[in-house]
Amino acid sequence: MNCIKTALTKKKHPKNRQTKTLRAWFIRTCLFGFGLMTGLLVPWYFYINYITDTIVQDKWDVPSVAYARPLELYQGLALSPEALVFELDLLGYRATNKKPQSGQYQFANNSFIIHSKGFQFPDLNSPAQIISLSIKNNQLASVSPPLARLEPHIIGRFYTSDFENRLPIDLAAIPDTMIRGLQAVEDRDFKNHHGVSWFGILRAAVKNLLAGEVVQGGSTITQQLVKNKLSYNQNSLLRKAHEAMAASILETKMSKAEILESYFNEVYWGQEGKAAVHGVVEAAQFYFAKPVSQLSIAEQALLIGIIKGPSWYNPYRQTKRALLRRDVVLKVWLDTGVIDTEQYQISKQSALGLSKSRQLKTDFDDFMDVVRKQINSQFSLSDLRRDGLRIFTTMDPYVQFKTTQTARQTRAWLDDTVESAILVSGTNTGELVAVSGSQSAASQYNRALLAKRQIGSLIKPLVYLAGLELLPNFDLQTQLQDAPLTVTTQDQKTWQPKNWDGKSMGAISAMDALIYSRNQATVELGMRITLTKFIGFLQQVGLQVQRNRHPALFLGAMELTPFEVQHVFGLFSSRGGKQYVNSIRYVTDQNNQVLSRSQQSTNHQISVESIDAINRAMHLITTAGTARKLTTNFQLSGPLFGKTGTTNAGKDSWYVGFDRRYLATVWVGRDDNKATPYSGSSGALVLWGHLFKNL
């Protein structure tokens, strides 16, 4: 009996050991799994918690924005209907036959009714208002109110490293229909869920299946915010889990209103060249050229609709697709009570109404080069890219447009080998209004700012001005000898200047010598002044001449950029009042407080009488001298003032001139510095004449 029990006991022991072994392995596996999950989930949780903190604390880098000058409307302003329509189109205004609403205008019989959009200027808030005006003979005959101002056009930005356009806005400033409309389309359970809506995911799947297209998304607004903030670009399950966890935690740290506000400021709405359009402010400006508060219901619906696919629903390229998407959104809004039936019918019948400003062939890059150069002396590049400064420039969009058009015709009016550069500034103000650095839109080289070229006879007004200022008993009636002469240079060599026509006129007045651009007479005057005193005089008017000690300096043997030439002749156009050309009026911070204003300073002591005497000669140059083609061929109304300039073999063709409104410098030549068939009057002056004919 004991033997039997012993045998039975021996048989049970292996099974018991096996059970205990399995139990032990099970416990170990559970412990390992628990440890593994704890080891993964806890760090993951803390990591998610950390990144949601960064989302809460994140502050956007707002690019600094450069504006053109605002168009100020007052009686007597020189303004053509064409120029005003161009400006309105550029600003995104739309023509209408009905009573204009905000951002619209009515035009008939040279009379305009404009409903402005308003703008917050540093000196005064300019509210949206009705402006009535009439134009007669290219001049404002009447304006009501007596002084009105349109908002300035954005001409450039100083981007962040991410090349993002963004201007934050408070949620309270966004239309209520847009806020509720976003939730109706993207996240109907937004007010109730805690970051993730499982019911919403299921409902969206059913809705999309029934509609045959994606009309609702499964992700919540909070999840989409996380996705946008963290720049997720993969659709993996792990990414979805990561996004859901982050959204749940984020809801404990931000209120619903804060999440909505952040979403409206963060979401991607499209692409403007290299720059990404982020936030509803930039989206409203990009597509409709108007403030968010002035968006119609149809426009709001389009913006909400294209969030799902800014490229797929791009209204500029996929008009029909974008229109269908907008109408789907409007139907959702009707079904959910965001809008009523009347609003739905009106909005559905509306055209897309996109801004025409992006369709205009405008090019502000060359002007922005000047702005960058001048602004960098006041602010660091990091400040410009981070602090969201507002830079109010002096650029006139219509004059810039005409200047660019003129430059593009360089090779058509001349030949296909030459390049050009053009600058235009206010005659009396010294404010730069337009720049073109090339005849080609593809060129990245701004010759107006960078190309140093010999100036030739452009120097002559300065030689005669120096004579008036430095020589006793000299005036423009003084006799000079336009005859062969030999000058000994510092290195004991001889130099014999010649006239452009190979002839000598003998004894002539200084006035005639300047009018007819006589080289020999000019050098004779220069030798009376002396080279040393003339160099000192040039330095007084802002030109740095240090190494050129050859008497050929009297005939323009020095290199200047077209921009530097514009500075020099600003002395004549402003009658000595403005010595330097400026492209910036003032700079404000994000709170609209002025940080810097342009200040004109002069360091010369040149008499107005001397400048006026040179101007009288430069006027005669345009009627009887080397620039008479302006009045005979182009038939430009005067008074006009100017000077041609030509260097050896036509390597550089110049014309600088001004009327009552504008001073313009034009250069024509080849980048390889080879000869051209053009003198100042047959090359640069042709472009100048066409430009002023169209202004």
Side-chain angles (χ1 to χ4, degrees):
M1 192 69 172
N2 290 334
C3 291
I4 294 172
K5 287 182 178 179
T6 302
L8 291 171
T9 303
K10 286 181 179 180
K11 285 183 180 180
K12 288 180 180 179
H13 276 298
K15 189 177 289 186
N16 290 339
R17 282 199 300 270
Q18 188 176 12
T19 301
K20 289 179 179 178
T21 300
L22 290 172
R23 186 182 298 116
W25 274 107
F26 177 75
I27 293 172
R28 289 172 185 170
T29 301
C30 290
L31 289 173
F32 177 78
F34 177 76
L36 180 64
M37 293 298 290
T38 302
L40 291 174
L41 288 177
V42 171
W44 187 31
Y45 171 80
F46 280 106
Y47 171 69
I48 297 288
N49 191 60
Y50 167 74
I51 63 173
T52 53
D53 281 341
T54 64
I55 292 175
V56 174
Q57 299 165 8
D58 188 27
K59 300 298 181 184
W60 290 286
D61 288 339
V62 180
S64 294
V65 178
Y67 294 93
R69 62 92 186 95
L71 179 58
E72 296 183 341
L73 303 169
Y74 53 88
Q75 188 174 7
L77 174 70
L79 184 68
S80 67
E82 177 193 5
L84 181 53
V85 168
F86 174 87
E87 186 110 13
L88 291 169
D89 288 346
L90 186 68
L91 292 170
Y93 285 75
R94 297 198 300 275
T96 181
N97 294 322
K98 302 177 181 178
K99 181 180 178 181
Q101 303 299 311
S102 181
Q104 296 180 337
Y105 70 94
Q106 189 181 96
F107 172 44
N109 301 321
N110 288 338
S111 294
F112 289 79
I113 300 176
I114 305 167
H115 194 151
S116 70
K117 305 172 190 176
F119 190 82
Q120 181 65 53
F121 292 96
D123 56 346
L124 181 67
N125 180 31
S126 182
Q129 61 181 331
I130 296 292
I131 304 169
S132 300
L133 59 89
S134 62
I135 298 177
K136 185 177 182 180
N137 297 326
N138 292 333
Q139 197 172 61
L140 286 191
S142 64
V143 185
S144 178
L147 178 61
R149 187 161 47 173
L150 297 180
E151 69 275 13
H153 179 67
I154 294 174
I155 63 171
R157 292 177 173 85
F158 293 85
Y159 291 108
T160 64
S161 58
D162 294 328
F163 279 93
E164 293 182 352
N165 283 353
R166 191 196 319 272
L167 184 61
I169 186 174
D170 293 336
L171 188 66
I174 301 173
D176 184 61
T177 48
M178 201 170 190
I179 297 172
R180 292 188 295 122
L182 172 70
Q183 297 170 65
V185 173
E186 296 292 333
D187 187 359
R188 293 193 188 176
D189 293 330
F190 177 71
K191 293 181 179 179
N192 303 315
H193 65 65
H194 299 286
V196 181
S197 174
W198 304 109
F199 178 73
I201 293 173
L202 178 62
R203 182 180 60 194
V206 173
K207 284 281 187 182
N208 295 338
L209 185 63
L210 294 175
E213 65 171 318
V214 179
V215 296
Q216 287 187 21
S219 296
T220 65
I221 288 174
T222 314
Q223 286 175 276
Q224 292 180 46
L225 175 61
V226 170
K227 179 181 177 181
N228 276 276
K229 281 284 191 181
L230 301 184
S231 302
Y232 287 141
N233 53 16
Q234 293 181 344
N235 258 333
S236 65
L237 288 175
L238 181 60
R239 196 272 291 167
K240 282 290 187 183
H242 192 82
E243 180 185 290
M245 173 74 82
S248 298
I249 296 176
L250 189 63
E251 289 259 357
T252 67
K253 300 179 178 181
M254 297 176 70
S255 68
K256 293 289 186 179
E258 289 171 334
I259 290 171
L260 282 173
E261 183 176 292
S262 186
Y263 183 92
F264 272 110
N265 286 314
E266 177 63 38
V267 69
Y268 171 70
W269 251 293
Q271 200 73 23
E272 185 176 13
K274 294 187 297 182
V277 178
H278 282 268
V280 68
V281 172
E282 292 296 340
Q285 181 65 37
F286 180 66
Y287 292 110
F288 302 111
K290 60 170 59 175
V292 178
S293 61
Q294 296 178 14
L295 292 172
S296 69
I297 290 175
E299 291 164 347
Q300 296 172 33
L302 178 63
L303 292 186
I304 295 299
I306 64 179
I307 288 174
K308 186 167 291 296
S311 296
W312 181 254
Y313 295 112
N314 184 334
Y316 285 111
R317 296 179 180 177
Q318 303 293 341
T319 304
K320 185 175 180 180
R321 189 183 294 164
L323 190 61
L324 290 173
R325 176 62 182 162
R326 183 204 68 179
D327 291 347
V328 167
V329 171
L330 287 171
K331 185 63 167 64
V332 171
W333 287 7
L334 175 65
D335 293 342
T336 55
V338 175
I339 58 177
D340 58 33
T341 303
E342 182 181 0
Q343 291 173 315
Y344 171 73
Q345 293 296 340
I346 293 173
S347 299
K348 189 176 180 181
Q349 293 171 10
S350 301
L352 286 179
L354 299 173
S355 166
K356 292 182 180 179
S357 60
R358 296 183 67 245
Q359 301 166 12
L360 297 175
K361 302 298 182 182
T362 52
D363 184 356
F364 307 133
D365 290 345
D366 289 341
F367 192 95
M368 282 299 296
D369 287 341
V370 181
V371 173
R372 287 186 186 93
K373 182 177 180 181
Q374 294 190 345
I375 200 71
N376 284 341
S377 64
Q378 303 175 53
F379 301 95
S380 70
L381 192 58
S382 59
D383 289 339
L384 293 170
R385 288 178 172 175
R386 183 191 67 244
D387 289 345
L389 304 180
R390 300 205 304 170
I391 303 157
F392 292 86
T393 77
T394 58
M395 196 203 77
D396 184 313
Y398 183 70
V399 179
Q400 178 65 60
F401 174 63
K402 289 297 184 180
T403 300
T404 302
Q405 279 191 322
T406 302
R408 297 291 181 266
Q409 294 296 314
T410 298
R411 295 187 174 183
W413 288 327
L414 302 177
D415 66 44
D416 60 2
T417 65
V418 295
E419 265 291 353
S420 65
I422 307 174
L423 297 106
V424 186
S425 60
T427 294
N428 298 312
T429 64
E431 291 188 336
L432 189 68
V433 296
V435 180
S436 173
S438 173
Q439 60 82 27
S440 169
S443 176
Q444 300 297 311
Y445 183 52
N446 190 342
R447 292 159 187 80
L449 195 60
L450 302 174
K452 281 190 172 291
R453 307 291 294 220
Q454 283 206 0
I455 64 172
S457 294
L458 294 185
I459 197 74
K460 288 176 182 173
L462 291 176
V463 176
Y464 289 83
L465 182 63
L468 292 172
E469 288 291 294
L470 301 177
L471 296 179
N473 302 319
F474 174 81
D475 58 34
L476 293 188
Q477 301 308 314
T478 300
Q479 293 290 296
L480 298 175
Q481 290 299 317
D482 186 49
L485 73 163
T486 300
V487 180
T488 301
T489 63
Q490 282 187 337
D491 56 3
Q492 301 305 307
K493 294 181 180 180
T494 58
W495 175 63
Q496 294 179 320
K498 299 184 183 302
N499 286 318
W500 57 271
D501 58 0
K503 301 176 182 180
S504 299
M505 296 178 65
I508 59 173
S509 69
M511 175 74 80
D512 286 344
L514 178 53
I515 293 171
Y516 300 110
S517 198
R518 308 307 293 174
N519 290 347
Q520 292 171 336
T522 301
V523 173
E524 197 245 326
L525 173 61
M527 298 310 296
R528 295 189 197 180
I529 298 169
T530 75
L531 193 57
T532 299
K533 288 184 178 180
F534 183 59
I535 291 173
F537 179 80
L538 293 180
Q539 291 173 341
Q540 182 185 350
V541 297
L543 296 178
Q544 298 303 313
V545 185
Q546 298 172 345
R547 290 173 292 185
N548 192 334
R549 297 283 171 175
H550 194 282
L553 179 63
F554 295 124
L555 299 181
M558 65 181 297
E559 293 183 341
L560 295 177
T561 65
F563 189 69
E564 290 170 327
V565 170
Q566 188 81 357
H567 279 308
V568 171
F569 278 80
L571 178 72
F572 295 108
S573 69
S574 68
R575 302 178 67 222
K578 305 293 182 184
Q579 188 172 358
Y580 299 107
V581 176
N582 183 51
S583 67
I584 300 169
R585 288 182 176 175
Y586 50 83
V587 180
T588 70
D589 60 17
Q590 290 190 65
N591 298 319
N592 219 24
Q593 298 299 308
V594 175
L595 301 177
S596 176
R597 290 186 182 274
S598 65
Q599 294 181 347
Q600 277 282 2
S601 61
T602 58
N603 57 10
H604 67 79
Q605 296 178 345
I606 300 170
S607 69
V608 175
E609 290 77 11
S610 295
I611 293 174
D612 286 345
I614 300 300
N615 283 346
R616 285 193 292 272
M618 288 201 290
H619 169 57
L620 291 173
I621 288 173
T622 68
T623 59
T626 56
R628 60 186 178 277
K629 188 184 296 184
L630 294 175
T631 50
T632 58
N633 292 24
F634 287 96
Q635 297 185 335
L636 296 175
S637 59
L640 302 175
F641 308 82
K643 184 70 185 76
T644 55
T646 312
T647 59
N648 292 338
K651 293 179 180 179
D652 301 283
S653 168
W654 294 90
Y655 184 71
V656 187
F658 57 93
D659 61 8
R660 289 192 178 97
R661 297 174 64 194
Y662 301 118
L663 162 70
T665 295
V666 179
W667 168 85
V668 169
R670 291 176 54 144
D671 287 337
D672 59 11
N673 206 30
K674 291 183 179 180
T676 77
Y678 302 111
S679 65
S681 60
S682 64
L685 182 139
V686 172
L687 299 186
W688 197 99
H690 279 293
L691 173 61
F692 275 65
K693 191 78 172 176
N694 290 311
L695 288 179

PDB file of all heavy atoms in Angstrom, residues 580-594:
ATOM      1  N   TYR A 580      19.919 113.588 -50.171  1.00  0.00           N
ATOM      2  CA  TYR A 580      19.955 112.141 -50.295  1.00  0.00           C
ATOM      3  C   TYR A 580      18.579 111.586 -50.630  1.00  0.00           C
ATOM      4  O   TYR A 580      17.560 112.069 -50.142  1.00  0.00           O
ATOM      5  CB  TYR A 580      20.465 111.512 -48.993  1.00  0.00           C
ATOM      6  CG  TYR A 580      21.868 111.949 -48.633  1.00  0.00           C
ATOM      7  CD1 TYR A 580      22.085 112.835 -47.589  1.00  0.00           C
ATOM      8  CD2 TYR A 580      22.956 111.496 -49.364  1.00  0.00           C
ATOM      9  CE1 TYR A 580      23.364 113.259 -47.269  1.00  0.00           C
ATOM     10  CE2 TYR A 580      24.241 111.912 -49.059  1.00  0.00           C
ATOM     11  CZ  TYR A 580      24.440 112.792 -48.007  1.00  0.00           C
ATOM     12  OH  TYR A 580      25.702 113.215 -47.710  1.00  0.00           O
ATOM     13  N   VAL A 581      18.574 110.546 -51.454  1.00  0.00           N
ATOM     14  CA  VAL A 581      17.342 109.853 -51.805  1.00  0.00           C
ATOM     15  C   VAL A 581      17.014 108.854 -50.711  1.00  0.00           C
ATOM     16  O   VAL A 581      17.888 108.104 -50.254  1.00  0.00           O
ATOM     17  CB  VAL A 581      17.497 109.124 -53.158  1.00  0.00           C
ATOM     18  CG1 VAL A 581      16.248 108.324 -53.482  1.00  0.00           C
ATOM     19  CG2 VAL A 581      17.793 110.131 -54.259  1.00  0.00           C
ATOM     20  N   ASN A 582      15.768 108.825 -50.285  1.00  0.00           N
ATOM     21  CA  ASN A 582      15.364 107.966 -49.176  1.00  0.00           C
ATOM     22  C   ASN A 582      14.202 107.079 -49.596  1.00  0.00           C
ATOM     23  O   ASN A 582      13.318 107.510 -50.346  1.00  0.00           O
ATOM     24  CB  ASN A 582      14.936 108.825 -47.977  1.00  0.00           C
ATOM     25  CG  ASN A 582      14.575 107.984 -46.774  1.00  0.00           C
ATOM     26  OD1 ASN A 582      15.338 107.118 -46.367  1.00  0.00           O
ATOM     27  ND2 ASN A 582      13.401 108.226 -46.202  1.00  0.00           N
ATOM     28  N   SER A 583      14.186 105.841 -49.113  1.00  0.00           N
ATOM     29  CA  SER A 583      13.118 104.903 -49.487  1.00  0.00           C
ATOM     30  C   SER A 583      12.179 104.575 -48.331  1.00  0.00           C
ATOM     31  O   SER A 583      11.204 103.851 -48.522  1.00  0.00           O
ATOM     32  CB  SER A 583      13.738 103.598 -50.010  1.00  0.00           C
ATOM     33  OG  SER A 583      14.425 102.911 -48.970  1.00  0.00           O
ATOM     34  N   ILE A 584      12.447 105.078 -47.122  1.00  0.00           N
ATOM     35  CA  ILE A 584      11.658 104.715 -45.942  1.00  0.00           C
ATOM     36  C   ILE A 584      11.158 105.981 -45.249  1.00  0.00           C
ATOM     37  O   ILE A 584      11.929 106.909 -44.990  1.00  0.00           O
ATOM     38  CB  ILE A 584      12.501 103.881 -44.955  1.00  0.00           C
ATOM     39  CG1 ILE A 584      12.972 102.594 -45.632  1.00  0.00           C
ATOM     40  CG2 ILE A 584      11.700 103.555 -43.690  1.00  0.00           C
ATOM     41  CD1 ILE A 584      14.012 101.844 -44.835  1.00  0.00           C
ATOM     42  N   ARG A 585       9.874 106.001 -44.951  1.00  0.00           N
ATOM     43  CA  ARG A 585       9.313 107.134 -44.218  1.00  0.00           C
ATOM     44  C   ARG A 585       9.425 106.930 -42.715  1.00  0.00           C
ATOM     45  O   ARG A 585       9.902 107.783 -41.997  1.00  0.00           O
ATOM     46  CB  ARG A 585       7.852 107.351 -44.611  1.00  0.00           C
ATOM     47  CG  ARG A 585       7.679 107.918 -46.015  1.00  0.00           C
ATOM     48  CD  ARG A 585       6.222 108.158 -46.360  1.00  0.00           C
ATOM     49  NE  ARG A 585       6.090 108.799 -47.668  1.00  0.00           N
ATOM     50  CZ  ARG A 585       4.929 109.037 -48.259  1.00  0.00           C
ATOM     51  NH1 ARG A 585       3.785 108.683 -47.650  1.00  0.00           N
ATOM     52  NH2 ARG A 585       4.886 109.619 -49.436  1.00  0.00           N
ATOM     53  N   TYR A 586       8.934 105.787 -42.239  1.00  0.00           N
ATOM     54  CA  TYR A 586       9.045 105.489 -40.809  1.00  0.00           C
ATOM     55  C   TYR A 586       8.851 103.999 -40.588  1.00  0.00           C
ATOM     56  O   TYR A 586       8.388 103.268 -41.468  1.00  0.00           O
ATOM     57  CB  TYR A 586       8.040 106.299 -39.975  1.00  0.00           C
ATOM     58  CG  TYR A 586       6.617 106.246 -40.461  1.00  0.00           C
ATOM     59  CD1 TYR A 586       5.766 105.193 -40.118  1.00  0.00           C
ATOM     60  CD2 TYR A 586       6.096 107.266 -41.258  1.00  0.00           C
ATOM     61  CE1 TYR A 586       4.462 105.152 -40.560  1.00  0.00           C
ATOM     62  CE2 TYR A 586       4.789 107.229 -41.711  1.00  0.00           C
ATOM     63  CZ  TYR A 586       3.980 106.173 -41.358  1.00  0.00           C
ATOM     64  OH  TYR A 586       2.684 106.130 -41.804  1.00  0.00           O
ATOM     65  N   VAL A 587       9.218 103.561 -39.385  1.00  0.00           N
ATOM     66  CA  VAL A 587       9.119 102.149 -38.997  1.00  0.00           C
ATOM     67  C   VAL A 587       8.374 102.088 -37.673  1.00  0.00           C
ATOM     68  O   VAL A 587       8.651 102.874 -36.753  1.00  0.00           O
ATOM     69  CB  VAL A 587      10.515 101.507 -38.839  1.00  0.00           C
ATOM     70  CG1 VAL A 587      10.385 100.040 -38.440  1.00  0.00           C
ATOM     71  CG2 VAL A 587      11.302 101.628 -40.138  1.00  0.00           C
ATOM     72  N   THR A 588       7.406 101.156 -37.564  1.00  0.00           N
ATOM     73  CA  THR A 588       6.666 100.987 -36.319  1.00  0.00           C
ATOM     74  C   THR A 588       6.837  99.563 -35.802  1.00  0.00           C
ATOM     75  O   THR A 588       7.212  98.652 -36.547  1.00  0.00           O
ATOM     76  CB  THR A 588       5.161 101.261 -36.515  1.00  0.00           C
ATOM     77  OG1 THR A 588       4.580 100.209 -37.300  1.00  0.00           O
ATOM     78  CG2 THR A 588       4.934 102.591 -37.204  1.00  0.00           C
ATOM     79  N   ASP A 589       6.532  99.382 -34.511  1.00  0.00           N
ATOM     80  CA  ASP A 589       6.543  98.035 -33.944  1.00  0.00           C
ATOM     81  C   ASP A 589       5.154  97.419 -34.104  1.00  0.00           C
ATOM     82  O   ASP A 589       4.266  97.989 -34.747  1.00  0.00           O
ATOM     83  CB  ASP A 589       6.982  98.060 -32.479  1.00  0.00           C
ATOM     84  CG  ASP A 589       6.064  98.913 -31.596  1.00  0.00           C
ATOM     85  OD1 ASP A 589       4.918  99.214 -32.021  1.00  0.00           O
ATOM     86  OD2 ASP A 589       6.474  99.272 -30.479  1.00  0.00           O
ATOM     87  N   GLN A 590       4.969  96.235 -33.493  1.00  0.00           N
ATOM     88  CA  GLN A 590       3.691  95.535 -33.626  1.00  0.00           C
ATOM     89  C   GLN A 590       2.538  96.292 -32.974  1.00  0.00           C
ATOM     90  O   GLN A 590       1.377  96.084 -33.314  1.00  0.00           O
ATOM     91  CB  GLN A 590       3.800  94.135 -33.013  1.00  0.00           C
ATOM     92  CG  GLN A 590       4.686  93.189 -33.803  1.00  0.00           C
ATOM     93  CD  GLN A 590       4.577  91.763 -33.312  1.00  0.00           C
ATOM     94  OE1 GLN A 590       3.538  91.131 -33.397  1.00  0.00           O
ATOM     95  NE2 GLN A 590       5.681  91.250 -32.780  1.00  0.00           N
ATOM     96  N   ASN A 591       2.879  97.185 -32.037  1.00  0.00           N
ATOM     97  CA  ASN A 591       1.858  97.981 -31.360  1.00  0.00           C
ATOM     98  C   ASN A 591       1.614  99.322 -32.048  1.00  0.00           C
ATOM     99  O   ASN A 591       0.969 100.207 -31.500  1.00  0.00           O
ATOM    100  CB  ASN A 591       2.255  98.207 -29.897  1.00  0.00           C
ATOM    101  CG  ASN A 591       2.360  96.898 -29.126  1.00  0.00           C
ATOM    102  OD1 ASN A 591       1.524  96.009 -29.299  1.00  0.00           O
ATOM    103  ND2 ASN A 591       3.388  96.782 -28.299  1.00  0.00           N
ATOM    104  N   ASN A 592       2.185  99.469 -33.242  1.00  0.00           N
ATOM    105  CA  ASN A 592       1.968 100.658 -34.063  1.00  0.00           C
ATOM    106  C   ASN A 592       2.648 101.901 -33.506  1.00  0.00           C
ATOM    107  O   ASN A 592       2.277 103.029 -33.845  1.00  0.00           O
ATOM    108  CB  ASN A 592       0.474 100.934 -34.258  1.00  0.00           C
ATOM    109  CG  ASN A 592       0.162 101.409 -35.663  1.00  0.00           C
ATOM    110  OD1 ASN A 592       0.910 101.141 -36.593  1.00  0.00           O
ATOM    111  ND2 ASN A 592      -0.938 102.117 -35.813  1.00  0.00           N
ATOM    112  N   GLN A 593       3.647 101.701 -32.663  1.00  0.00           N
ATOM    113  CA  GLN A 593       4.415 102.823 -32.136  1.00  0.00           C
ATOM    114  C   GLN A 593       5.613 103.088 -33.048  1.00  0.00           C
ATOM    115  O   GLN A 593       6.344 102.171 -33.419  1.00  0.00           O
ATOM    116  CB  GLN A 593       4.898 102.522 -30.713  1.00  0.00           C
ATOM    117  CG  GLN A 593       3.762 102.303 -29.722  1.00  0.00           C
ATOM    118  CD  GLN A 593       2.861 103.514 -29.591  1.00  0.00           C
ATOM    119  OE1 GLN A 593       3.321 104.628 -29.351  1.00  0.00           O
ATOM    120  NE2 GLN A 593       1.559 103.297 -29.774  1.00  0.00           N
ATOM    121  N   VAL A 594       5.817 104.351 -33.405  1.00  0.00           N
ATOM    122  CA  VAL A 594       6.900 104.704 -34.320  1.00  0.00           C
ATOM    123  C   VAL A 594       8.251 104.505 -33.636  1.00  0.00           C
ATOM    124  O   VAL A 594       8.501 105.030 -32.547  1.00  0.00           O
ATOM    125  CB  VAL A 594       6.754 106.155 -34.803  1.00  0.00           C
ATOM    126  CG1 VAL A 594       7.947 106.552 -35.667  1.00  0.00           C
ATOM    127  CG2 VAL A 594       5.456 106.329 -35.598  1.00  0.00           C
TER     128      VAL A 594
END
